Each structure stands twice: as structure tokens, then as C-alpha cells.
């Protein structure tokens, strides 16, 4: 449809089978009609992306970056990025795609698992040469040519944070479904593999996120036909060992317990602060800390360190909080009609123009449409995406005169405000019932500042139509 409307647009597409991995089954096409469909789209789905034609080249070769990202916690959100990554090179000099070279996988696809079978693949004992190198060696090379490396890193960190923020709402719904309530602190973590392509203008482009990145630190070498030997890979070892080691240091569940015991015994600590974005404080010679002999940490904290710059994007995350609050039954991931009605009532969203009957119709229409699009029919009810659509509809009705981003932010503020008042009222009533305390505060809504908002450092929302937001005025990404 786009090509018909704009004949000058002549892209190349890259097709990736949904069930494939390690580059298996990937191919390039020039025309959508060239896609190879085995069966129906439902039985053999594929991801189709526009191919990036102007990548940055090193030694005339296309390459991508595998960067490791630790998602330490969802609530609160904590993200760490490894200070070094892998640069994986193609093994055939790059040319822009045209019909005669679309089948040259060693020219266009950077997958290590594909290029290792090329006769041009170079296993190197150096981190700065060969077909797999450290990302730091690439940055060093670019720096020698006058490139602003800090800007490159800043853009990559921005890309990582925005991507994780986009993932967290749905992850949190899954998390509350699987993790028992009442567990203190984070109960799980994940190392993600971000595949990033640097364009010729040094802009980073996200190719994909791997939920289960390979942590192998050796490669197979064929000694004779059919006889293979596992050979250590210096590059893999340098990057991956540091990521695993420092992930365990950050996630160590007994760290605080040891620190408390040390304080009680009066022993000196190697460091009073948890390892963060720069490095672990070096331990003194007499310290009993098990981390005293370890190198500085390779994982840099990027969130919440840079939270102020990106909190305007966390609207869907805040919607997920509302969604989870009204789910009701532990373990479910879909909102029932009673839960949706309770959400509308508690947030005081019904009015003369939006009756509860209209709310029920809205719930049925949106839920039915989303359930018909998803293959997961295990639970009936409203999924998170359907709730977000309903929320957008309600925001548009409630704040007609505001831009879309501000409509949504205003409605979230309003919902959080009413729920905070409700929580405070329940808390005070509970205290009154048990200890004969004072009745709930009867001041105006503006006077009753929710404690949760103060704890988050956010001002209470305005209640007039011209809501002044603390959020950035950017459009939703």
C-alpha cells in the first residue's frame, strides 16, 4: 500500500521467521509479493522489517553490536548496561542491496552463527581484529577519527531505556501473575541481549532484543572433516564473564545480611554503597569483604539514574499499575467486567454523559475485538492492551481540549489522585476502628495531598481543565 502511494520509495525488506533463531531462515526481498509463505500466516508467522541500507562500515564490512542489559528489578525499575559488548562482522565486503546480491547472506546478515560457516571468517586472539571484536575496540577506532564517543554512548543508553520502558508494562502483568505476593525485594532478574546497528551517521538502530542471549565463551573449530574441538574465545570471555560475574554481585541476596553482620561485629566494610554505575569502591587491605579482590564492576546503572529524562514515557507503566490493582484474583492477567466497573467507580469516571451501561458496552466492544485478535484464549476478559485502548478513549472524552499525551497523563493523574484519597480514607478508618483515632481529614481535595505522590516527588494533580503537567510535552513514542 505504501509503495503504491509513493512509487519513489524503493526499500529492501528483511524477513525473519517467528520461530527461527541464530539467523535461520532469514532472507531479503525487494517486493512484498516475493515473501515465501509456507502455509498460512498464523501457522508460519514472520517479522518483516525495512532493511537498513546505510550502515557504518569498518574495513568495508557491515557489523552489529551485541550489548548486554541487566533488568535487575521491575518495581522499582532498575536497568544496568554493560560497559563493553561484542561487535560481530559480516565476512563479505558490503554493497547496498540490489536484486543480484540479495542472496549474499555473508554480506548482509551479521549473525555470528551464519558467518562462522564462511570461508572468510577470522578467529582472532586479539579483541580488536577478526570477525568478532569488542565494542570498546570499535569505539577506540572511531575516537581516533574524531568521533564523539560520549554522544554515541548517550544515544545507545537512550535507546536501551526507551525499549525497556516499552517492555515493562506487560512484564509487570506477567510478574504479578507468577510471583507470590509478599516476597521482600526483587525475586527475579533477566539479562537481555540488545542487537544494535550503527548507521553511517552514527545513529543507533535497534534490530532486536534477545530474551535468552548466548553466554558461550568458546567456539567450535574443525580439526578434520567431522571432528570438532571447543576452543576458548578471548573476546567472548572478556565480555561475558564480566557480565555474569557482576550480575551475581548486584543480585547477591545475602549481601545486605553480610553487611549487617559486619556492622554488628564492628568489622570494616569494603564499601557502604551497593555497586552502581561507575565501579565498586576498592576494599582496604584488611577488609573481610569477598569482593575485595574482584575488578571494578562492568555494569553501569542507567535507570533510575537518568529517570528524569524518561519518566514522561512511563504513562503505560502507570496504566499497568491501575490495571493490576483491579485484576482481583491472583494469577489472572485479564480484567473482568466487575473489575472494570470498580475501576470506573473508584476513579469517579462515570458521569451524566458516561453511564455505567455505556461503560459495560465499552468493555464488551473492546474486549471482544482484542480477544478475536489474540491466539491466547486461556482466560476470558480484558487484556492489558485492551485496557490501554479503553483508557485512551476515556481520556479523550474527559479532556477533549488537550493534546493526546496530556489527555492520557491528566486522566492517570486523576485516577491516581482519587485512589490515593480512597487509600488514605481506608487507612484512617482502619486506625479509627482499632484505636479510636480521629475521623478522616475533611479538607478540600487540593489540601489532601496523597502521600504516595509526595513519596514519588510528584506534585498533586490540578483538577481544572487546563491541567499543568510535570510531564514533558513530548508525544507518545
Amino acid at each position: 500500500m505504501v509503495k503504491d502511494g509513493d512509487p519513489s520509495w524503493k526499500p529492501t525488506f528483511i524477513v525473519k521467521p517467528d520461530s527461527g533463531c541464530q539467523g535461520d531462515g532469514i532472507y531479503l526481498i525487494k517486493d512484498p509479493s516475493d515473501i515465501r509463505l509456507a502455509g498460512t500466516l498464523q501457522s508460519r508467522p514472520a517479522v518483516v522489517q525495512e532493511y537498513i541500507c546505510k550502515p557504518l562500515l569498518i574495513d568495508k564490512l557491515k557489523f552489529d553490536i551485541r550489548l548486554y542489559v541487566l533488568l535487575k528489578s521491575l518495581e522499582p525499575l532498575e536497568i544496568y548496561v554493560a560497559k563493553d559488548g561484542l561487535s560481530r562482522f559480516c565476512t563479505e565486503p558490503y554493497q547496498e542491496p540490489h536484486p543480484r546480491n540479495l542472496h549474499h547472506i555473508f554480506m548482509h546478515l551479521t549473525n555470528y552463527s551464519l558467518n562462522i560457516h564462511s570461508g572468510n571468517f577470522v578467529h582472532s586472539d586479539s579483541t580488536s581484529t577478526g570477525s568478532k571484536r569488542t565494542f570498546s575496540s570499535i569505539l577506540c577506532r572511531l575516537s581516533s577519527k574524531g568521533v564523539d564517543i560520549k554522544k554515541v554512548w548517550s544515544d545507545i543508553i537512550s535507546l536501551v531505556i526507551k525499549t525497556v520502558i516499552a517492555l515493562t508494562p506487560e512484564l509487570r502483568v506477567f510478574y504479578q501473575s507468577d510471583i507470590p505476593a509478599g516476597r521482600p525485594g526483587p525475586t527475579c532478574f533477566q539479562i537481555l541481549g540488545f542487537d544494535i546497528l550503527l548507521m553511517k551517521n552514527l545513529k543507533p538502530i535497534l534490530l532486536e532484543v534477545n530474551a535468552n542471549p548466548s553466554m558461550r565463551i568458546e567456539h567450535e573449530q574443525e580439526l578434520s572433516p567431522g571432528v570438532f574441538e571447543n576452543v576458548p574465545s578471548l573476546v567472548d570471555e572478556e565480555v561475558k564473564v564480566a557480565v555474569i560475574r557482576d550480575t551475581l554481585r548486584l543480585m547477591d541476596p545475602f549481601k545486605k545480611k553480610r553487611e549487617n553482620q559486619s556492622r554488628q561485629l564492628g568489622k570494616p566494610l569494603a564499601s557502604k554503597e551497593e555497586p552502581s554505575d561507575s565501579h565498586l569502591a576498592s576494599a582496604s587491605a584488611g577488609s573481610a569483604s569477598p569482593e575485595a579482590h574482584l575488578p571494578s564492576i562492568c555494569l553501569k546503572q542507567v535507570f533510575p539514574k537518568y529517570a528524569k529524562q524518561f519518566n514522561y514515557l512511563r504513562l503505560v507503566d502507570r496504566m499497568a499499575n491501575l490495571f493490576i490493582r483491579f485484576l482481583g484474583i491472583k494469577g489472572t492477567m485479564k480484567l473482568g467486567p466487575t473489575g472494570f466497573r470498580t475501576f470506573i467507580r473508584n476513579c469517579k469516571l462515570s458521569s451524566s454523559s458516561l453511564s455505567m451501561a455505556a461503560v459495560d458496552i465499552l468493555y464488551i466492544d473492546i474486549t471482544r475485538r482484542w480477544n478475536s485478535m489474540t491466539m491466547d484464549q486461556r482466560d476470558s476478559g480484558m487484556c492489558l492492551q485492551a485496557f490501554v485502548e479503553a483508557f485512551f478513549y476515556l481520556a479523550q472524552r474527559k479532556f477533549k481540549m488537550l493534546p493526546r499525551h496530556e489527555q492520557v497523563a491528566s486522566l492517570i493523574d486523576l485516577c491516581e489522585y482519587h485512589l490515593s484519597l480512597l487509600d488514605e480514607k481506608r487507612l484512617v478508618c482502619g486506625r479509627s476502628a482499632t484505636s479510636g483515632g480521629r475521623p478522616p481529614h475533611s479538607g478540600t481535595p487540593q489540601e489532601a495531598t496523597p502521600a504516595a505522590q509526595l513519596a514519588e516527588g510528584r506534585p498533586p494533580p490540578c483538577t481544572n481543565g487546563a491541567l499543568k503537567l510535570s510531564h514533558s510535552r513530548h508525544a507518545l513514542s
Side-chain angles (χ1 to χ4, degrees):
M1 287 172 62
V2 175
K3 289 186 72 168
D4 289 344
D6 182 9
S8 65
W9 186 54
K10 297 180 180 179
T12 302
F13 299 101
I14 183 167
V15 185
K16 304 177 181 182
D18 182 57
S19 57
C21 64
Q22 298 182 329
D24 180 43
I26 297 177
Y27 60 95
L28 271 62
I29 59 174
K30 275 287 188 182
D31 193 283
S33 61
D34 294 335
I35 193 167
R36 306 166 198 163
L37 289 178
T40 64
L41 272 177
Q42 286 195 338
S43 64
R44 181 69 169 168
V47 175
V48 182
Q49 297 171 296
E50 186 177 347
Y51 180 87
I52 306 298
C53 293
K54 298 193 181 296
L56 177 69
L57 304 180
I58 298 284
D59 300 329
K60 299 181 180 179
L61 300 172
K62 179 181 175 181
F63 70 97
D64 74 355
I65 305 155
R66 163 60 62 83
L67 200 61
Y68 296 97
V69 174
L70 170 64
L71 187 52
K72 183 174 183 277
S73 167
L74 285 176
E75 189 58 44
L77 182 59
E78 290 186 62
I79 310 168
Y80 290 77
V81 175
K83 291 182 179 179
D84 204 356
L86 303 173
S87 298
R88 304 168 304 182
F89 283 74
C90 287
T91 48
E92 188 176 327
Y94 180 76
Q95 297 173 7
E96 288 200 14
H98 55 77
R100 292 187 301 279
N101 69 17
L102 291 182
H103 62 285
H104 290 204
I105 59 171
F106 298 142
M107 175 190 294
H108 297 295
L109 304 182
T110 53
N111 302 69
Y112 167 78
S113 53
L114 292 178
N115 281 281
I116 196 172
H117 299 295
S118 166
N120 297 327
F121 192 93
V122 178
H123 289 291
S124 175
D125 293 331
S126 167
T127 58
S128 58
T129 60
S131 296
K132 187 189 282 189
R133 314 176 195 178
T134 58
F135 180 44
S136 57
S137 71
I138 301 300
L139 290 176
C140 187
R141 187 161 171 175
L142 293 174
S143 180
S144 66
K145 295 181 179 180
V147 172
D148 184 354
I149 299 306
K150 287 185 177 179
K151 174 70 165 59
V152 174
W153 259 121
S154 176
D155 290 344
I156 289 174
I157 288 170
S158 177
L159 179 152
V160 168
I161 293 173
K162 288 177 179 178
T163 304
V164 174
I165 285 175
L167 293 171
T168 49
E170 196 160 356
L171 283 178
R172 292 193 60 208
V173 173
F174 277 97
Y175 185 90
Q176 67 81 34
S177 170
D178 291 338
I179 304 299
R183 288 284 183 90
T187 53
C188 60
F189 66 93
Q190 184 134 0
I191 296 174
L192 303 170
F194 275 65
D195 290 347
I196 297 168
L197 185 73
L198 280 181
M199 294 183 67
K200 201 172 183 179
N201 61 3
L202 298 176
K203 179 183 177 182
I205 298 290
L206 179 67
L207 298 179
E208 62 184 35
V209 180
N210 293 271
N212 187 26
S214 169
M215 285 297 172
R216 287 190 62 177
I217 56 172
E218 74 280 330
H219 61 83
E220 285 186 343
Q221 185 172 329
E222 192 169 13
L223 302 177
S224 59
V227 180
F228 294 89
E229 179 186 29
N230 283 332
V231 180
S233 167
L234 179 67
V235 177
D236 286 294
E237 188 172 338
E238 180 164 324
V239 174
K240 294 176 182 177
V241 168
V243 169
I244 294 293
R245 178 193 66 227
D246 294 337
T247 296
L248 295 177
R249 290 163 79 183
L250 285 167
M251 297 305 306
D252 182 1
F254 300 110
K255 181 178 176 64
K256 288 185 178 178
K257 185 178 179 181
R258 287 197 303 269
E259 288 178 350
N260 290 335
Q261 288 173 345
S262 296
R263 287 191 185 95
Q264 291 168 5
L265 296 172
K267 291 182 180 180
L269 291 173
S271 171
K272 290 184 179 179
E273 59 184 29
E274 184 175 329
S276 59
D277 49 317
S278 53
H279 57 78
L280 289 170
S282 56
S284 58
S287 172
S289 170
E291 296 179 347
H293 67 285
L294 294 176
S296 61
I297 199 160
C298 78
L299 294 170
K300 173 185 174 67
Q301 189 194 80
V302 297
F303 201 96
K305 182 176 180 180
Y306 303 123
K308 273 188 178 178
Q309 297 167 233
F310 298 95
N311 273 338
Y312 76 94
L313 290 172
R314 300 196 70 188
L315 295 185
V316 181
D317 211 23
R318 293 165 67 194
M319 283 185 231
N321 282 339
L322 299 172
F323 178 78
I324 291 169
R325 175 169 176 146
F326 292 98
L327 278 177
I329 303 170
K330 184 68 183 173
T332 184
M333 291 188 292
K334 290 188 176 179
L335 188 65
T338 303
F340 190 69
R341 287 172 66 94
T342 305
F343 156 69
I344 296 292
R345 279 198 302 268
N346 287 3
C347 296
K348 304 192 183 305
L349 300 182
S350 59
S351 63
S352 57
S353 61
L354 184 69
S355 64
M356 293 307 291
V359 168
D360 290 338
I361 293 170
L362 175 68
Y363 175 88
I364 293 168
D365 285 348
I366 293 180
T367 300
R368 183 180 295 161
R369 180 155 35 82
W370 275 93
N371 286 344
S372 69
M373 288 191 290
T374 179
M375 299 179 192
D376 182 12
Q377 300 294 342
R378 287 174 295 178
D379 298 320
S380 61
M382 177 180 273
C383 62
L384 174 64
Q385 294 87 348
F387 179 78
V388 170
E389 183 182 333
F391 200 93
F392 269 62
Y393 172 80
L394 294 168
Q396 196 170 15
R397 286 182 60 105
K398 191 82 174 175
F399 302 99
K400 295 178 181 178
M401 305 305 294
L402 295 176
R404 175 58 61 89
H405 181 276
E406 294 184 15
Q407 288 174 354
V408 176
S410 300
L411 187 60
I412 293 173
D413 280 339
L414 187 64
C415 292
E416 290 175 347
Y417 174 69
H418 284 302
L419 294 175
S420 295
L421 289 181
L422 188 63
D423 291 342
E424 286 180 0
K425 186 176 180 181
R426 286 172 179 168
L427 184 63
V428 173
C429 288
R431 287 174 179 169
S432 299
T434 56
S435 60
R438 290 179 300 175
H441 177 65
S442 59
T444 61
Q446 286 83 356
E447 292 171 333
T449 303
Q453 291 180 346
L454 293 176
E456 293 177 10
R458 292 187 293 106
C462 303
T463 54
N464 55 23
L467 183 67
K468 293 186 178 179
L469 299 168
S470 59
H471 309 283
S472 172
R473 299 293 203 239
H474 295 287
L476 277 170
S477 295

